[in-house]
Amino acid sequence: MTDNAYRRLLKRMVVKSDVWGGERCIQGTRINVAVILDSLAEGLSPKEITKHFPPLTEQDVRAAMIFAKGTQ
């Protein structure tokens, strides 16, 4: 993955003090990145997650995964 693609994915996440107490969410939604990561940890696939949370795309799930990898 190129640096540019990596940055584009990470831009899908935002922090707003009035949404989830300032925790990281997917841009344009109120879906917390931690909810996505918890869903993955429970064994849901990106496709299943997008079915449970229709505003999400598989790119959003991928962005959450990349963010989690970078914060370890």
Side-chain angles (χ1 to χ4, degrees), residues 4-51:
N4 195 25
Y6 180 80
R7 280 191 221 113
R8 271 193 317 234
L9 281 175
L10 289 181
K11 283 185 179 182
R12 297 173 93 87
M13 293 177 286
V14 296
V15 176
K16 294 184 178 182
S17 61
D18 61 335
V19 178
W20 278 94
E23 292 186 29
R24 196 167 302 274
C25 294
I26 299 299
Q27 185 174 20
T29 75
R30 297 180 66 87
I31 301 170
N32 188 313
V33 171
V35 170
I36 298 168
L37 298 176
D38 288 346
S39 297
L40 288 165
E42 289 176 9
L44 273 69
S45 70
K47 186 172 284 244
E48 290 170 318
I49 294 169
T50 60
K51 285 182 182 178

